[in-house]
Amino acid sequence: YEIPKRDWSSDVCSSDLETYEVEQLLLLVADRDGEPVAIAPLFASGGMVFFLGVGEADYHDIVGAGHDPDVVEALLSAARERTDDFEGFKLHFLPEGTRTPAALATAADRLGLDLHEMGEIVTVVVDLVADASAARRAVSGSMNKREGWFRQRGGICVQPLATAAEVLPLLPEFFAMHEARWASKGIESGYTRPEVRAFLERWVEVSAAHGWLRALRLEWEGRTLAMECSWEIRKSTRLNSSHVSESRM
């Protein structure tokens, strides 16, 4: 497998570089017979290699043939060669269902690396097709009470949004809700940073063009009560974040 050198000086990558304050951006593509078979979105900091988006995303993985030990070995080898003062890899939040860990174990052995599982955490997975009632039962009584309050006073409109033209004009309000939510906890929102806003704006454009964007807006009397941005890729929906207005009843 060939890991060709590419010019990744696009706006999105520049935003990533600034957003995550990485020392080295490592966006690696494994090619087979001139065709890309896998992408490893990585970066290096202090000699350690991480998945791009660590600390922000709920899941990380190699895109494409991450289940193939030969592909993973080529990607890890290329990352190691390109990392200044290489120390190792820390690859967080691989989902339970992925086949990448098995390929990582094989590749690590071939490359003379020791593989250690640092730990695991529980994450939320909702299967709305198999058991939609489970999601309804999980909603707290206080949340049902709040929903009832709004329904008695004009009703809530749920707006599904899937185009950049629909979502981009709402992002300033989305950012403001996020800032207000975290300010109430004494924490600065990441969306106070222009480069983070620019990254999401660009990603909305790109993902909408590919048909991946799935956003929802809860509207009441012309106001946004809540909004979420998520993406559906290969019939699996990945939630980025959802934010609720700080206004009270």
Side-chain angles (χ1 to χ4, degrees):
Y1 293 93
E2 180 187 5
I3 312 295
K5 291 186 177 179
R6 285 183 166 84
D7 177 12
W8 291 102
S9 56
S10 68
D11 292 339
V12 173
C13 295
S14 296
S15 294
D16 282 338
L17 198 65
E18 296 170 4
T19 298
Y20 298 106
E21 299 176 354
V22 304
E23 296 174 9
Q24 291 179 268
L25 183 63
L26 301 170
L27 296 182
L28 304 177
V29 179
D31 282 359
R32 179 173 55 200
D33 300 326
E35 294 293 329
V37 295
I39 300 174
L42 306 170
F43 75 93
S45 181
M48 297 298 296
V49 179
F50 306 85
F51 276 122
L52 192 63
V54 64
E56 297 287 338
D58 296 324
Y59 302 96
H60 303 281
D61 209 343
I62 294 173
V63 181
H67 61 282
D68 188 327
D70 294 334
V71 172
V72 175
E73 179 186 359
L75 291 169
L76 294 185
S77 179
R80 180 168 65 176
E81 292 172 1
R82 289 163 168 76
T83 299
D84 297 334
D85 301 319
F86 175 79
E87 293 286 340
F89 295 89
K90 284 187 177 180
L91 305 177
H92 299 82
F93 299 156
L94 285 159
E96 186 178 22
T98 182
R99 293 183 288 171
T100 301
L104 281 171
T106 301
D109 184 64
R110 293 175 181 176
L111 295 171
L113 300 172
D114 295 324
L115 180 67
H116 302 280
E117 183 175 329
M118 299 171 63
E120 60 182 29
I121 63 171
V122 176
T123 189
V124 176
V125 177
V126 180
D127 191 338
L128 295 177
V129 176
D131 189 3
S133 62
R136 298 188 184 97
R137 293 194 301 269
V139 177
S140 66
S142 60
M143 185 62 69
N144 285 323
K145 181 179 178 181
R146 288 182 173 89
E147 181 180 344
W149 189 93
F150 285 109
R151 291 192 182 281
Q152 292 171 10
R153 292 162 175 80
I156 300 174
C157 177
V158 180
Q159 300 174 340
L161 311 170
T163 69
E166 293 172 317
V167 175
L168 287 174
L170 297 173
L171 286 184
E173 190 173 18
F174 180 80
F175 297 145
M177 286 191 293
H178 190 278
E179 292 177 24
R181 176 183 178 185
W182 288 103
S184 66
K185 301 179 181 180
I187 301 174
E188 184 179 68
S189 163
Y191 289 123
T192 60
R193 299 161 58 185
E195 64 270 22
V196 179
R197 293 185 178 215
F199 175 80
L200 183 57
E201 290 166 350
R202 177 62 178 141
W203 178 235
V204 163
E205 293 176 343
V206 172
S207 60
H210 286 80
W212 299 336
L213 181 61
R214 301 288 185 272
L216 285 176
R217 175 178 181 248
L218 296 186
E219 183 266 336
W220 177 69
E221 293 188 344
R223 298 167 48 202
T224 300
L225 290 181
M227 182 176 169
E228 72 170 30
C229 289
S230 58
W231 292 269
E232 183 179 299
I233 302 175
R234 295 180 181 176
K235 298 183 179 180
S236 177
T237 300
R238 308 297 173 92
L239 177 66
N240 169 264
S241 55
S242 57
H243 306 300
V244 181
S245 172
E246 287 295 296
S247 60
R248 296 290 185 264
M249 293 184 296

